[in-house]
Amino acid sequence: MKILLFYGVVGSLNHFSDELGREFERMGIETKILDLNNNHTDYELFLREKLDAAVCYNSIGTFTAGNSKLMGIYDELNIPVINILMDHPMNLSYCMKQHPAKYIQFSPDEEHVKYAKKYYDLENCFFLPHMASEIQCREEVDKDIQVLFPAALAQCNGLYKKIQETFQSNPFMLKIVLDLLEFLIANPRYTMEAALEVCLKNMGVELSLKQFAVMMSGFKDADLFIRMYFREKVILELSKTGRPIVIVGRGWEESSAIKLSNIEWLPSISFSDVFSYMERSKVTLTVMPWFKAGTHDRIFNSLLHNSCPLTDESSWLTAHLVPNQECTYFSLDCLDNIGNILEKLMVDGDVTKSVIENGRKKVEQNYTSRNIAQQIVSRLEQCYGK
């Protein structure tokens, strides 16, 4: 078997491709990685090397919006495309509206799978959890970081302005999207699509499934806004504890958070370098990217690197990582309590140690890159008999 992977401009996705490539090779699968950052005039030659599948993240390298030529090549050569989505399907609607004949789509959130099947009638659409990196954890590292938050930020003010500009010629749509954001701020347990359904019902608006999907595909900035709103809000709330917090990621320069005396900001750390910071951290914080029934690699990786994960809840997480035994949680709709949760973790070292030990075992058994690579190949064989 021969599989093609891709490098693009997103460092984390390139890291994931490296991880999968190594595991495919360990399974005896010949693997090539095409670096799209270079000007490859031989792209089609790669495809014509009797490939059994092309595996990509967020469609990078296999097909893009409005580019039917790539899809034609895959169909001509009868190559299955495996597309691993890292974002809500609403943001990648073109992947589902027009895709290669042999197509498998994975999502790290069970609700995203339901969404793709309901609104785009995808047949081969499946849940696939994020994977933990197999970068080795160093032994005996001093825990000199109390709380680590490895996450970038996009400014909400800029996003809000962009939303207003996008819909300035359509006051009706502007009202819908602003109502949607107001509802989600007050009701953060809702998915984007469930919140939109409520807002439309309150306005007496009825849409077909196709119309609903089209509307959702135009709300990418709204999705980003609500994620960034709570990302910053969680940090500001945690900062009230006075505990030192290290933020790793770009985009925080305009946030009031980095002006606080107990916040340290490191903007230029690569994805793979974050693991060494996890090893130094007692707690690694995650604010889920609005995945209400999904996973996140940061949670798995923190456990593998001896850091206690603290994350907002998802139905998948609480069902598969036992609260206070394999992972620790807070609620976005009860942020007044997040400081108390953190204090208990800081004071009670036995709890954090137990969570890390139990959670690591669960991750090592189920969510490593080896586990995920095996699931991908198994699904490929199931769907297309490779």
Side-chain angles (χ1 to χ4, degrees), residues 57-208:
Y57 285 93
N58 281 357
S59 81
I60 295 171
T62 53
F63 59 103
T64 55
N67 191 337
S68 58
K69 180 182 178 181
L70 287 180
M71 283 181 282
I73 295 173
Y74 286 104
D75 288 346
E76 175 192 344
L77 300 177
N78 202 34
I79 301 172
V81 170
I82 299 173
N83 194 7
I84 306 172
L85 270 55
M86 291 287 100
D87 296 314
H88 193 295
M90 62 178 275
N91 298 328
L92 296 154
S93 59
Y94 63 86
C95 301
M96 298 172 290
K97 287 191 295 186
Q98 189 179 14
H99 55 75
K102 288 187 174 181
Y103 180 67
I104 298 173
Q105 181 170 296
F106 289 114
S107 284
D109 185 293
E110 292 172 328
E111 291 297 329
H112 295 179
V113 175
K114 294 177 184 177
Y115 182 92
K117 289 183 176 181
K118 178 177 180 179
Y119 294 105
Y120 293 91
D121 198 28
L122 280 188
E123 179 181 0
N124 293 325
C125 185
F126 308 100
F127 171 78
L128 184 73
H130 283 88
M131 65 182 178
S133 172
E134 291 200 350
I135 291 179
Q136 293 298 312
C137 179
R138 295 174 298 169
E139 300 292 335
E140 301 298 327
V141 176
D142 290 337
K143 294 291 186 180
D144 58 333
I145 299 175
Q146 294 194 25
V147 181
L148 176 70
F149 187 38
L153 186 73
Q155 295 300 317
C156 286
N157 288 341
L159 290 168
Y160 190 82
K161 182 179 179 181
K162 186 179 179 183
I163 289 168
Q164 289 183 311
E165 291 173 348
T166 299
F167 298 106
Q168 63 181 350
S169 62
N170 191 334
F172 178 69
M173 283 294 293
L174 180 59
K175 175 173 171 50
I176 291 175
V177 70
L178 294 183
D179 284 356
L180 172 64
L181 293 178
E182 183 178 356
F183 181 86
L184 286 170
I185 288 172
N187 302 277
R189 288 184 180 271
Y190 278 68
T191 63
M192 182 71 66
E193 57 269 29
L196 181 56
E197 288 174 358
V198 172
C199 292
L200 292 175
K201 183 178 181 180
N202 290 341
M203 297 176 67
V205 177
E206 294 185 8
L207 300 178
S208 67

Side-chain angles (χ1 to χ4, degrees), residues 279-317:
E279 292 169 3
R280 293 166 51 193
S281 305
K282 294 180 180 178
V283 170
T284 296
L285 175 69
T286 295
V287 181
M288 294 286 283
W290 224 253
F291 292 0
K292 302 305 177 183
T295 68
H296 202 286
D297 55 277
R298 187 178 302 129
I299 297 166
F300 297 153
N301 281 322
S302 64
L303 287 166
L304 286 192
H305 291 84
N306 291 327
S307 182
C308 181
L310 176 60
T311 180
D312 55 318
E313 302 153 324
S314 87
S315 59
W316 189 95
L317 283 172

Side-chain angles (χ1 to χ4, degrees), residues 1-5 24 29-33 50-55 82 376-377 380:
M1 184 181 288
K2 183 185 292 186
I3 289 178
L4 181 64
L5 293 158
F24 288 148
I29 299 170
E30 184 179 351
T31 306
K32 289 193 174 184
I33 299 182
K50 297 182 180 180
L51 290 176
D52 293 291
V55 178
I82 299 173
I376 291 171
V377 172
L380 175 64

Side-chain angles (χ1 to χ4, degrees), residues 333-345:
D333 56 1
C334 191
L335 284 180
D336 290 347
N337 194 42
I338 191 172
N340 293 330
I341 296 172
L342 179 63
E343 283 301 309
K344 290 179 181 178
L345 294 177

